[in-house]
Amino acid sequence: VQLQASGGGLVQAGGSLRLACWSSGRIFSHYAMAWFRQAPGKEREFVAAIRWSGGSAYYADSVKGRFTISRDYAKNTVYLQMNSLKPEDTAVYYCAADTNYSGALYPLREREYEVWGQGTQVTVSS
């Protein structure tokens, strides 16, 4: 599995962006797919996760109610719809896959994800 992230850009506060993460290989049903972000000078942090086969998604408190993670089976793609963007959402956003996900609590630490895409920059101006 190789992941490619896209969709970043510059947007004003209150605006929206949709990030996409396309996989060049098969995504198995048990995989957990996630988005992380890393702001300048900060550690990479969990944003959202969803199991490829379905079920509830999980979000960081900082984005709950504003961001939505989803998947398109036909396009082998995971999306992150970001609404009501704030300057503090500015970061490089990464998609990732946990290929050993057991179906319990979603992993929130980056070391639990084995496959990573390249980042895509999101900049929110005030």
Side-chain angles (χ1 to χ4, degrees), residues 4-11 16-22 34-37 47 67-71 77-83 85 89 91-95 118-123:
Q4 295 180 321
S6 63
L10 173 64
V11 64
S16 298
L17 280 175
R18 187 178 76 159
L19 306 183
C21 176
W22 174 75
W35 288 95
F36 283 73
R37 67 186 181 185
V47 174
F67 291 11
T68 302
I69 188 170
S70 63
R71 62 229 178 279
T77 300
V78 176
Y79 297 100
L80 185 68
Q81 177 67 43
M82 306 185 294
N83 298 328
L85 283 161
D89 294 318
V92 178
Y93 283 71
Y94 298 89
C95 59
Q118 89 291 1
T120 185
Q121 176 71 47
V122 172
T123 303

Side-chain angles (χ1 to χ4, degrees), residues 48-124:
I50 193 167
R51 186 171 183 170
W52 183 248
S53 64
S56 299
Y58 185 80
Y59 299 91
D61 287 343
S62 58
V63 306
K64 201 173 296 182
R66 300 188 298 122
F67 291 11
T68 302
I69 188 170
S70 63
R71 62 229 178 279
D72 185 323
Y73 298 122
K75 296 182 178 180
N76 229 29
T77 300
V78 176
Y79 297 100
L80 185 68
Q81 177 67 43
M82 306 185 294
N83 298 328
S84 302
L85 283 161
K86 305 175 181 180
E88 50 264 44
D89 294 318
T90 295
V92 178
Y93 283 71
Y94 298 89
C95 59
D98 175 4
T99 63
N100 297 309
Y101 178 57
S102 63
L105 297 177
Y106 282 114
L108 305 182
R109 296 172 294 187
E110 61 175 302
R111 66 174 180 264
E112 296 176 281
Y113 291 82
E114 300 81 19
V115 183
W116 289 83
Q118 89 291 1
T120 185
Q121 176 71 47
V122 172
T123 303
V124 184

